[in-house]
Amino acid sequence: MSRFKKIFATDSYIVPLVAIVMGFLVGAIVMLVGGYDPIAAYSALFKRVFGSPYDFGEAIREMTPLMFTGLAVAFAFRSGMFNIGADGQVLIGMTAASVVGIKFAGTLPSFVLVPLAVIMAGVCGGLWAGIAGYLKAKRGINEVITTIMLNWIALFLSNYIVRTFLLLSGQNRSEDIPASLSMTFLNSVFDNARLHWGTAIALAAAVFFYVYLWKTKQGYEMRAVGLNPHAAEYAGMNVGRNVIKAMFISGVFAGLAGAGEVLGVFHYQSVFAASPGYGFDGIAVALLGLTHPLGVVLAAILYGTLTYGSAGMSFGADVPPELIRIVIGSIIFFIAAQGIVRWVLKPFYFKRKKEKVL
Amino acid sequence: MEVLGQLLNTTLVFSTALIFAALGGIFSERSGIVNIGLEGLMMFGAFAAAVGGYYAQDAGMGAWAPWIGVLCAMAVGVLGALIHAVASITFKADQTISGTVINFLAAGSTLYVVKLIFEGAGETPLLDGFNKVPIPGLSKIPVIGEGIFNSYPTTYLAMILVVVIYFILFKTPFGLRLRAVGEHPSAADTLGVNVKRMRYIGVMLSGMLAGIGGATITLTTTGTFSHNTISGQGFIAIAAMIFGKWNPLGAFGAAVFFGLSQAIRNYVQLFEWSKNIPQEFIFMIPYVLTIIVLVSAVGRSSAPKALGEPYDPSKR
């Protein structure tokens, strides 16, 4: 609890908040330059998200994979690695969940089948990321390049598996998956919005992230390796093992995102023409959330709200939905270049200090 | 034999954009600034070339229009890179993050402007673009003539730049200073090199080159700019740069390797034996091969030592 207080007692939250406001301002300026009405656009955006139970539920659905991939990228970041490969890990997780969900559907009862599919998705995603971790630890190969390559390999591999073993004949997708993560009782409340258990698993993953990194010895080692691998090695930590483990856990998060999407949302797996882009959104979410689990959850909520609502902007105010990427990009820019935000805030800080003296 | 020449030709067409962008990445990273934003910078270039080229064509500039497109791409690429430079050099932002910002801003703003200019269309009008220019004499050589000496002007430019940039980086005082700033900024500073200025130059050159790289895609391959014109090419260029050990010649080799991977898709299906291999595995080959090559031959990658560290003179 004391740590929770500390987060809000320091000014650590002011910079992101001001960055968000400044990001929206940049978006408004860009809209004004383009001849649009920013107030109409932003209100259309929020109306789209909060206007109906269905849309609200769908916005939550949109946030879920973002939480997972955000956590995945953030976890790797904390351990000193840049995981560009969350995309591939999501695909591998999807495929594992689809294979288990379809092939074992008749033989296992659903209370065994569904958890098994989810676990397999996590484990396979983790192993996929673990390849990059292993190559980094044992051969010193830059994880950026291996995860990019693994993204492509994952795309083709999962397409191959879906096309050869799971294909619904005549379609470019798998058979329907009988195993389901849908929250049926909530779906009716939200007008058939595709809510699923993945959201709860994502929140649990965020808690795990926090407890593991800050409350366990293994997590301490992992952060030490992330901050300074040489010092960590000097202190007797096994850097290589930590690198592999961190990538594995990162991949587990991403793999679970895949399970949520196929078992909770689509109930089938498509053959993808290009990479679906979950991983790149995850990078943005992780950075927005300052690579802290609580931050990542909040960032996923913000990012999900903005991307889901952006479709409303084009209906309501005729603004191209791409604008929202400018807003998100600007927010991340101001969070990264905190010097600019502090410079903007300087007069206010100055005033506050004076008041204290009086 | 004819197929071989065509395969080589297509390979070079696909490699050209990667060569430009990877060369750009080298300038930035040799100066010590990580550039994950190559993807976005290419997007800026592809967009500017499509729009600039369109207006130049509209104004009746004919064969010069694509070159105007390239100039626009260079300018917009430099402007985009300037954002990265200001954030990461002046404000000491995390370079990975500010590079990611470039990708985001590029994806958003280019399509936003395209929709703004072309009344809501998500794509620019189709351009004429560059035509292939056979080099007299040389283009008559079997295989190589068809393969190399009957290409787009941008492809020739890319190949010339590889050599020129190699020379600049390793044989000129400017190149020495740039590399010094990326390896040991405080030592370079002591010797009177302006670290910040060198890094600004490095990042902006990367924007210029990645911009040309993006322009080549619209002006030779697609003819238009839309949301998927640059889908992952910038990241492949980063891979090519790392694969080529931050050396122009190495990056050239790696870019050709990846270009081949794209070209092979079009050609392998011509052969009867390929029917027995699932196409996905054929697509996978270059990426699997890259990892195998990295594991077996290249070994530890040797990034510039100060890569990713903001320079703080007070810590000297």
PDB file of all heavy atoms in Angstrom, chain A residues 15-31 42 306 323-335 341, chain B residues 105:
ATOM      1  N   VAL A  15       3.816  14.195 -15.246  1.00  0.00           N
ATOM      2  CA  VAL A  15       4.397  14.262 -16.586  1.00  0.00           C
ATOM      3  C   VAL A  15       3.551  13.501 -17.607  1.00  0.00           C
ATOM      4  O   VAL A  15       3.176  14.064 -18.632  1.00  0.00           O
ATOM      5  CB  VAL A  15       5.865  13.789 -16.572  1.00  0.00           C
ATOM      6  CG1 VAL A  15       6.390  13.630 -17.979  1.00  0.00           C
ATOM      7  CG2 VAL A  15       6.725  14.771 -15.788  1.00  0.00           C
ATOM      8  N   PRO A  16       3.194  12.211 -17.322  1.00  0.00           N
ATOM      9  CA  PRO A  16       2.331  11.521 -18.303  1.00  0.00           C
ATOM     10  C   PRO A  16       0.999  12.238 -18.524  1.00  0.00           C
ATOM     11  O   PRO A  16       0.531  12.341 -19.660  1.00  0.00           O
ATOM     12  CB  PRO A  16       2.098  10.151 -17.677  1.00  0.00           C
ATOM     13  CG  PRO A  16       3.168   9.963 -16.691  1.00  0.00           C
ATOM     14  CD  PRO A  16       3.627  11.304 -16.247  1.00  0.00           C
ATOM     15  N   LEU A  17       0.410  12.748 -17.446  1.00  0.00           N
ATOM     16  CA  LEU A  17      -0.881  13.422 -17.610  1.00  0.00           C
ATOM     17  C   LEU A  17      -0.752  14.658 -18.505  1.00  0.00           C
ATOM     18  O   LEU A  17      -1.553  14.854 -19.432  1.00  0.00           O
ATOM     19  CB  LEU A  17      -1.442  13.833 -16.240  1.00  0.00           C
ATOM     20  CG  LEU A  17      -2.174  12.734 -15.466  1.00  0.00           C
ATOM     21  CD1 LEU A  17      -2.752  13.289 -14.177  1.00  0.00           C
ATOM     22  CD2 LEU A  17      -3.272  12.112 -16.325  1.00  0.00           C
ATOM     23  N   VAL A  18       0.257  15.470 -18.227  1.00  0.00           N
ATOM     24  CA  VAL A  18       0.463  16.656 -19.061  1.00  0.00           C
ATOM     25  C   VAL A  18       0.793  16.240 -20.491  1.00  0.00           C
ATOM     26  O   VAL A  18       0.327  16.855 -21.453  1.00  0.00           O
ATOM     27  CB  VAL A  18       1.579  17.547 -18.471  1.00  0.00           C
ATOM     28  CG1 VAL A  18       1.901  18.695 -19.401  1.00  0.00           C
ATOM     29  CG2 VAL A  18       1.157  18.074 -17.120  1.00  0.00           C
ATOM     30  N   ALA A  19       1.562  15.136 -20.626  1.00  0.00           N
ATOM     31  CA  ALA A  19       1.895  14.645 -21.964  1.00  0.00           C
ATOM     32  C   ALA A  19       0.621  14.263 -22.720  1.00  0.00           C
ATOM     33  O   ALA A  19       0.497  14.538 -23.924  1.00  0.00           O
ATOM     34  CB  ALA A  19       2.838  13.453 -21.863  1.00  0.00           C
ATOM     35  N   ILE A  20      -0.318  13.638 -22.015  1.00  0.00           N
ATOM     36  CA  ILE A  20      -1.570  13.240 -22.664  1.00  0.00           C
ATOM     37  C   ILE A  20      -2.331  14.487 -23.138  1.00  0.00           C
ATOM     38  O   ILE A  20      -2.787  14.560 -24.283  1.00  0.00           O
ATOM     39  CB  ILE A  20      -2.441  12.403 -21.706  1.00  0.00           C
ATOM     40  CG1 ILE A  20      -1.797  11.029 -21.493  1.00  0.00           C
ATOM     41  CG2 ILE A  20      -3.856  12.229 -22.250  1.00  0.00           C
ATOM     42  CD1 ILE A  20      -2.430  10.214 -20.390  1.00  0.00           C
ATOM     43  N   VAL A  21      -2.400  15.478 -22.245  1.00  0.00           N
ATOM     44  CA  VAL A  21      -3.100  16.719 -22.615  1.00  0.00           C
ATOM     45  C   VAL A  21      -2.414  17.356 -23.829  1.00  0.00           C
ATOM     46  O   VAL A  21      -3.073  17.764 -24.796  1.00  0.00           O
ATOM     47  CB  VAL A  21      -3.117  17.703 -21.418  1.00  0.00           C
ATOM     48  CG1 VAL A  21      -3.672  19.047 -21.850  1.00  0.00           C
ATOM     49  CG2 VAL A  21      -3.934  17.124 -20.282  1.00  0.00           C
ATOM     50  N   MET A  22      -1.076  17.396 -23.800  1.00  0.00           N
ATOM     51  CA  MET A  22      -0.360  18.009 -24.916  1.00  0.00           C
ATOM     52  C   MET A  22      -0.555  17.220 -26.206  1.00  0.00           C
ATOM     53  O   MET A  22      -0.647  17.795 -27.289  1.00  0.00           O
ATOM     54  CB  MET A  22       1.131  18.148 -24.578  1.00  0.00           C
ATOM     55  CG  MET A  22       1.400  19.264 -23.576  1.00  0.00           C
ATOM     56  SD  MET A  22       3.075  19.229 -22.876  1.00  0.00           S
ATOM     57  CE  MET A  22       4.049  19.756 -24.264  1.00  0.00           C
ATOM     58  N   GLY A  23      -0.636  15.878 -26.072  1.00  0.00           N
ATOM     59  CA  GLY A  23      -0.882  15.054 -27.249  1.00  0.00           C
ATOM     60  C   GLY A  23      -2.226  15.382 -27.884  1.00  0.00           C
ATOM     61  O   GLY A  23      -2.339  15.519 -29.110  1.00  0.00           O
ATOM     62  N   PHE A  24      -3.246  15.527 -27.032  1.00  0.00           N
ATOM     63  CA  PHE A  24      -4.564  15.894 -27.549  1.00  0.00           C
ATOM     64  C   PHE A  24      -4.531  17.276 -28.203  1.00  0.00           C
ATOM     65  O   PHE A  24      -5.176  17.506 -29.224  1.00  0.00           O
ATOM     66  CB  PHE A  24      -5.605  15.871 -26.420  1.00  0.00           C
ATOM     67  CG  PHE A  24      -6.183  14.511 -26.183  1.00  0.00           C
ATOM     68  CD1 PHE A  24      -5.777  13.732 -25.122  1.00  0.00           C
ATOM     69  CD2 PHE A  24      -7.133  13.998 -27.056  1.00  0.00           C
ATOM     70  CE1 PHE A  24      -6.299  12.463 -24.918  1.00  0.00           C
ATOM     71  CE2 PHE A  24      -7.670  12.736 -26.855  1.00  0.00           C
ATOM     72  CZ  PHE A  24      -7.247  11.969 -25.785  1.00  0.00           C
ATOM     73  N   LEU A  25      -3.747  18.188 -27.598  1.00  0.00           N
ATOM     74  CA  LEU A  25      -3.631  19.525 -28.181  1.00  0.00           C
ATOM     75  C   LEU A  25      -2.997  19.466 -29.563  1.00  0.00           C
ATOM     76  O   LEU A  25      -3.464  20.123 -30.507  1.00  0.00           O
ATOM     77  CB  LEU A  25      -2.799  20.433 -27.268  1.00  0.00           C
ATOM     78  CG  LEU A  25      -3.553  21.010 -26.067  1.00  0.00           C
ATOM     79  CD1 LEU A  25      -2.609  21.823 -25.187  1.00  0.00           C
ATOM     80  CD2 LEU A  25      -4.712  21.881 -26.543  1.00  0.00           C
ATOM     81  N   VAL A  26      -1.929  18.652 -29.695  1.00  0.00           N
ATOM     82  CA  VAL A  26      -1.294  18.512 -31.010  1.00  0.00           C
ATOM     83  C   VAL A  26      -2.322  18.005 -32.017  1.00  0.00           C
ATOM     84  O   VAL A  26      -2.443  18.530 -33.130  1.00  0.00           O
ATOM     85  CB  VAL A  26      -0.074  17.564 -30.945  1.00  0.00           C
ATOM     86  CG1 VAL A  26       0.416  17.203 -32.342  1.00  0.00           C
ATOM     87  CG2 VAL A  26       1.048  18.206 -30.145  1.00  0.00           C
ATOM     88  N   GLY A  27      -3.092  16.977 -31.581  1.00  0.00           N
ATOM     89  CA  GLY A  27      -4.125  16.445 -32.466  1.00  0.00           C
ATOM     90  C   GLY A  27      -5.117  17.524 -32.872  1.00  0.00           C
ATOM     91  O   GLY A  27      -5.521  17.623 -34.037  1.00  0.00           O
ATOM     92  N   ALA A  28      -5.497  18.361 -31.903  1.00  0.00           N
ATOM     93  CA  ALA A  28      -6.466  19.428 -32.187  1.00  0.00           C
ATOM     94  C   ALA A  28      -5.888  20.419 -33.195  1.00  0.00           C
ATOM     95  O   ALA A  28      -6.566  20.846 -34.135  1.00  0.00           O
ATOM     96  CB  ALA A  28      -6.832  20.143 -30.889  1.00  0.00           C
ATOM     97  N   ILE A  29      -4.601  20.750 -33.009  1.00  0.00           N
ATOM     98  CA  ILE A  29      -3.969  21.700 -33.941  1.00  0.00           C
ATOM     99  C   ILE A  29      -3.946  21.115 -35.351  1.00  0.00           C
ATOM    100  O   ILE A  29      -4.275  21.786 -36.329  1.00  0.00           O
ATOM    101  CB  ILE A  29      -2.546  22.051 -33.460  1.00  0.00           C
ATOM    102  CG1 ILE A  29      -2.633  22.848 -32.155  1.00  0.00           C
ATOM    103  CG2 ILE A  29      -1.789  22.840 -34.516  1.00  0.00           C
ATOM    104  CD1 ILE A  29      -1.323  22.984 -31.415  1.00  0.00           C
ATOM    105  N   VAL A  30      -3.558  19.805 -35.416  1.00  0.00           N
ATOM    106  CA  VAL A  30      -3.511  19.160 -36.735  1.00  0.00           C
ATOM    107  C   VAL A  30      -4.896  19.180 -37.387  1.00  0.00           C
ATOM    108  O   VAL A  30      -5.039  19.404 -38.590  1.00  0.00           O
ATOM    109  CB  VAL A  30      -2.982  17.713 -36.618  1.00  0.00           C
ATOM    110  CG1 VAL A  30      -3.103  16.966 -37.936  1.00  0.00           C
ATOM    111  CG2 VAL A  30      -1.538  17.724 -36.159  1.00  0.00           C
ATOM    112  N   MET A  31      -5.940  18.975 -36.571  1.00  0.00           N
ATOM    113  CA  MET A  31      -7.297  18.997 -37.125  1.00  0.00           C
ATOM    114  C   MET A  31      -7.665  20.399 -37.609  1.00  0.00           C
ATOM    115  O   MET A  31      -8.248  20.557 -38.676  1.00  0.00           O
ATOM    116  CB  MET A  31      -8.305  18.513 -36.082  1.00  0.00           C
ATOM    117  CG  MET A  31      -8.368  17.004 -35.993  1.00  0.00           C
ATOM    118  SD  MET A  31      -9.741  16.438 -34.987  1.00  0.00           S
ATOM    119  CE  MET A  31      -8.960  16.258 -33.408  1.00  0.00           C
ATOM    120  N   TYR A  42     -13.364  15.061 -31.084  1.00  0.00           N
ATOM    121  CA  TYR A  42     -13.082  14.383 -29.817  1.00  0.00           C
ATOM    122  C   TYR A  42     -14.368  13.935 -29.132  1.00  0.00           C
ATOM    123  O   TYR A  42     -14.416  12.875 -28.517  1.00  0.00           O
ATOM    124  CB  TYR A  42     -12.265  15.287 -28.889  1.00  0.00           C
ATOM    125  CG  TYR A  42     -10.803  15.385 -29.266  1.00  0.00           C
ATOM    126  CD1 TYR A  42     -10.120  16.590 -29.237  1.00  0.00           C
ATOM    127  CD2 TYR A  42     -10.106  14.242 -29.659  1.00  0.00           C
ATOM    128  CE1 TYR A  42      -8.784  16.670 -29.586  1.00  0.00           C
ATOM    129  CE2 TYR A  42      -8.767  14.308 -30.014  1.00  0.00           C
ATOM    130  CZ  TYR A  42      -8.109  15.533 -29.975  1.00  0.00           C
ATOM    131  OH  TYR A  42      -6.788  15.600 -30.323  1.00  0.00           O
ATOM    132  N   LEU A 306      -8.854   5.177 -27.551  1.00  0.00           N
ATOM    133  CA  LEU A 306      -8.582   6.067 -28.680  1.00  0.00           C
ATOM    134  C   LEU A 306      -8.732   5.348 -30.012  1.00  0.00           C
ATOM    135  O   LEU A 306      -9.344   5.870 -30.944  1.00  0.00           O
ATOM    136  CB  LEU A 306      -7.178   6.670 -28.566  1.00  0.00           C
ATOM    137  CG  LEU A 306      -6.966   7.638 -27.405  1.00  0.00           C
ATOM    138  CD1 LEU A 306      -5.543   8.174 -27.398  1.00  0.00           C
ATOM    139  CD2 LEU A 306      -7.951   8.793 -27.481  1.00  0.00           C
ATOM    140  N   LEU A 323      -5.760  10.185 -37.620  1.00  0.00           N
ATOM    141  CA  LEU A 323      -5.355  11.282 -36.760  1.00  0.00           C
ATOM    142  C   LEU A 323      -4.958  10.776 -35.381  1.00  0.00           C
ATOM    143  O   LEU A 323      -4.070  11.312 -34.739  1.00  0.00           O
ATOM    144  CB  LEU A 323      -6.503  12.285 -36.621  1.00  0.00           C
ATOM    145  CG  LEU A 323      -6.111  13.405 -35.674  1.00  0.00           C
ATOM    146  CD1 LEU A 323      -5.636  14.587 -36.452  1.00  0.00           C
ATOM    147  CD2 LEU A 323      -7.204  13.747 -34.731  1.00  0.00           C
ATOM    148  N   ILE A 324      -5.656   9.705 -34.937  1.00  0.00           N
ATOM    149  CA  ILE A 324      -5.440   9.238 -33.578  1.00  0.00           C
ATOM    150  C   ILE A 324      -4.015   8.737 -33.391  1.00  0.00           C
ATOM    151  O   ILE A 324      -3.451   8.794 -32.309  1.00  0.00           O
ATOM    152  CB  ILE A 324      -6.502   8.174 -33.206  1.00  0.00           C
ATOM    153  CG1 ILE A 324      -6.995   8.446 -31.809  1.00  0.00           C
ATOM    154  CG2 ILE A 324      -6.005   6.770 -33.333  1.00  0.00           C
ATOM    155  CD1 ILE A 324      -7.667   9.770 -31.616  1.00  0.00           C
ATOM    156  N   ARG A 325      -3.409   8.269 -34.484  1.00  0.00           N
ATOM    157  CA  ARG A 325      -2.010   7.837 -34.373  1.00  0.00           C
ATOM    158  C   ARG A 325      -1.089   9.025 -34.126  1.00  0.00           C
ATOM    159  O   ARG A 325      -0.056   8.906 -33.467  1.00  0.00           O
ATOM    160  CB  ARG A 325      -1.572   7.091 -35.624  1.00  0.00           C
ATOM    161  CG  ARG A 325      -2.267   5.767 -35.724  1.00  0.00           C
ATOM    162  CD  ARG A 325      -1.642   4.868 -36.767  1.00  0.00           C
ATOM    163  NE  ARG A 325      -1.993   3.504 -36.445  1.00  0.00           N
ATOM    164  CZ  ARG A 325      -1.116   2.586 -36.068  1.00  0.00           C
ATOM    165  NH1 ARG A 325       0.153   2.882 -35.987  1.00  0.00           N
ATOM    166  NH2 ARG A 325      -1.501   1.378 -35.778  1.00  0.00           N
ATOM    167  N   ILE A 326      -1.471  10.169 -34.688  1.00  0.00           N
ATOM    168  CA  ILE A 326      -0.686  11.378 -34.426  1.00  0.00           C
ATOM    169  C   ILE A 326      -0.793  11.732 -32.945  1.00  0.00           C
ATOM    170  O   ILE A 326       0.198  12.074 -32.299  1.00  0.00           O
ATOM    171  CB  ILE A 326      -1.173  12.554 -35.305  1.00  0.00           C
ATOM    172  CG1 ILE A 326      -1.104  12.169 -36.783  1.00  0.00           C
ATOM    173  CG2 ILE A 326      -0.349  13.804 -35.033  1.00  0.00           C
ATOM    174  CD1 ILE A 326      -1.589  13.253 -37.723  1.00  0.00           C
ATOM    175  N   VAL A 327      -2.024  11.623 -32.406  1.00  0.00           N
ATOM    176  CA  VAL A 327      -2.220  11.932 -30.983  1.00  0.00           C
ATOM    177  C   VAL A 327      -1.382  10.986 -30.124  1.00  0.00           C
ATOM    178  O   VAL A 327      -0.627  11.420 -29.245  1.00  0.00           O
ATOM    179  CB  VAL A 327      -3.716  11.830 -30.606  1.00  0.00           C
ATOM    180  CG1 VAL A 327      -3.907  11.992 -29.108  1.00  0.00           C
ATOM    181  CG2 VAL A 327      -4.533  12.860 -31.362  1.00  0.00           C
ATOM    182  N   ILE A 328      -1.498   9.664 -30.415  1.00  0.00           N
ATOM    183  CA  ILE A 328      -0.767   8.688 -29.606  1.00  0.00           C
ATOM    184  C   ILE A 328       0.741   8.910 -29.748  1.00  0.00           C
ATOM    185  O   ILE A 328       1.479   8.916 -28.762  1.00  0.00           O
ATOM    186  CB  ILE A 328      -1.151   7.251 -30.020  1.00  0.00           C
ATOM    187  CG1 ILE A 328      -2.607   6.975 -29.657  1.00  0.00           C
ATOM    188  CG2 ILE A 328      -0.249   6.240 -29.330  1.00  0.00           C
ATOM    189  CD1 ILE A 328      -3.163   5.701 -30.265  1.00  0.00           C
ATOM    190  N   GLY A 329       1.191   9.131 -30.987  1.00  0.00           N
ATOM    191  CA  GLY A 329       2.614   9.374 -31.221  1.00  0.00           C
ATOM    192  C   GLY A 329       3.093  10.588 -30.445  1.00  0.00           C
ATOM    193  O   GLY A 329       4.164  10.555 -29.825  1.00  0.00           O
ATOM    194  N   SER A 330       2.286  11.659 -30.437  1.00  0.00           N
ATOM    195  CA  SER A 330       2.693  12.871 -29.719  1.00  0.00           C
ATOM    196  C   SER A 330       2.755  12.617 -28.222  1.00  0.00           C
ATOM    197  O   SER A 330       3.661  13.103 -27.549  1.00  0.00           O
ATOM    198  CB  SER A 330       1.727  14.017 -29.987  1.00  0.00           C
ATOM    199  OG  SER A 330       1.442  14.108 -31.340  1.00  0.00           O
ATOM    200  N   ILE A 331       1.785  11.853 -27.700  1.00  0.00           N
ATOM    201  CA  ILE A 331       1.799  11.569 -26.260  1.00  0.00           C
ATOM    202  C   ILE A 331       3.097  10.841 -25.900  1.00  0.00           C
ATOM    203  O   ILE A 331       3.789  11.213 -24.958  1.00  0.00           O
ATOM    204  CB  ILE A 331       0.564  10.735 -25.845  1.00  0.00           C
ATOM    205  CG1 ILE A 331      -0.725  11.528 -26.076  1.00  0.00           C
ATOM    206  CG2 ILE A 331       0.673  10.341 -24.373  1.00  0.00           C
ATOM    207  CD1 ILE A 331      -1.995  10.722 -25.839  1.00  0.00           C
ATOM    208  N   ILE A 332       3.419   9.803 -26.706  1.00  0.00           N
ATOM    209  CA  ILE A 332       4.644   9.059 -26.406  1.00  0.00           C
ATOM    210  C   ILE A 332       5.858   9.987 -26.540  1.00  0.00           C
ATOM    211  O   ILE A 332       6.787   9.944 -25.737  1.00  0.00           O
ATOM    212  CB  ILE A 332       4.812   7.845 -27.346  1.00  0.00           C
ATOM    213  CG1 ILE A 332       3.586   6.948 -27.282  1.00  0.00           C
ATOM    214  CG2 ILE A 332       6.038   7.046 -26.948  1.00  0.00           C
ATOM    215  CD1 ILE A 332       3.634   5.805 -28.270  1.00  0.00           C
ATOM    216  N   PHE A 333       5.822  10.853 -27.548  1.00  0.00           N
ATOM    217  CA  PHE A 333       6.934  11.795 -27.758  1.00  0.00           C
ATOM    218  C   PHE A 333       7.145  12.660 -26.519  1.00  0.00           C
ATOM    219  O   PHE A 333       8.260  12.793 -26.026  1.00  0.00           O
ATOM    220  CB  PHE A 333       6.636  12.669 -28.974  1.00  0.00           C
ATOM    221  CG  PHE A 333       7.679  13.719 -29.239  1.00  0.00           C
ATOM    222  CD1 PHE A 333       8.845  13.406 -29.918  1.00  0.00           C
ATOM    223  CD2 PHE A 333       7.490  15.015 -28.806  1.00  0.00           C
ATOM    224  CE1 PHE A 333       9.805  14.369 -30.163  1.00  0.00           C
ATOM    225  CE2 PHE A 333       8.443  15.988 -29.045  1.00  0.00           C
ATOM    226  CZ  PHE A 333       9.604  15.669 -29.722  1.00  0.00           C
ATOM    227  N   PHE A 334       6.040  13.202 -25.986  1.00  0.00           N
ATOM    228  CA  PHE A 334       6.189  14.097 -24.832  1.00  0.00           C
ATOM    229  C   PHE A 334       6.582  13.330 -23.577  1.00  0.00           C
ATOM    230  O   PHE A 334       7.280  13.856 -22.713  1.00  0.00           O
ATOM    231  CB  PHE A 334       4.893  14.885 -24.598  1.00  0.00           C
ATOM    232  CG  PHE A 334       4.626  15.898 -25.669  1.00  0.00           C
ATOM    233  CD1 PHE A 334       3.440  15.899 -26.377  1.00  0.00           C
ATOM    234  CD2 PHE A 334       5.590  16.852 -25.987  1.00  0.00           C
ATOM    235  CE1 PHE A 334       3.196  16.833 -27.370  1.00  0.00           C
ATOM    236  CE2 PHE A 334       5.358  17.788 -26.989  1.00  0.00           C
ATOM    237  CZ  PHE A 334       4.158  17.769 -27.679  1.00  0.00           C
ATOM    238  N   ILE A 335       6.129  12.068 -23.478  1.00  0.00           N
ATOM    239  CA  ILE A 335       6.546  11.274 -22.325  1.00  0.00           C
ATOM    240  C   ILE A 335       8.043  10.967 -22.426  1.00  0.00           C
ATOM    241  O   ILE A 335       8.777  11.041 -21.439  1.00  0.00           O
ATOM    242  CB  ILE A 335       5.721   9.969 -22.227  1.00  0.00           C
ATOM    243  CG1 ILE A 335       4.297  10.288 -21.777  1.00  0.00           C
ATOM    244  CG2 ILE A 335       6.369   9.008 -21.239  1.00  0.00           C
ATOM    245  CD1 ILE A 335       3.388   9.087 -21.669  1.00  0.00           C
ATOM    246  N   VAL A 341       8.114  18.648 -21.491  1.00  0.00           N
ATOM    247  CA  VAL A 341       6.992  18.763 -20.563  1.00  0.00           C
ATOM    248  C   VAL A 341       7.413  19.553 -19.327  1.00  0.00           C
ATOM    249  O   VAL A 341       6.699  20.443 -18.861  1.00  0.00           O
ATOM    250  CB  VAL A 341       6.481  17.364 -20.159  1.00  0.00           C
ATOM    251  CG1 VAL A 341       5.389  17.478 -19.109  1.00  0.00           C
ATOM    252  CG2 VAL A 341       5.968  16.623 -21.385  1.00  0.00           C
TER     253      VAL A 341
ATOM    254  N   LEU B 105       4.010   8.593 -35.773  1.00  0.00           N
ATOM    255  CA  LEU B 105       3.644   9.855 -36.401  1.00  0.00           C
ATOM    256  C   LEU B 105       3.565   9.691 -37.911  1.00  0.00           C
ATOM    257  O   LEU B 105       2.676  10.237 -38.569  1.00  0.00           O
ATOM    258  CB  LEU B 105       4.656  10.939 -36.041  1.00  0.00           C
ATOM    259  CG  LEU B 105       4.614  11.410 -34.584  1.00  0.00           C
ATOM    260  CD1 LEU B 105       5.664  12.472 -34.348  1.00  0.00           C
ATOM    261  CD2 LEU B 105       3.240  11.959 -34.228  1.00  0.00           C
TER     262      LEU B 105
END
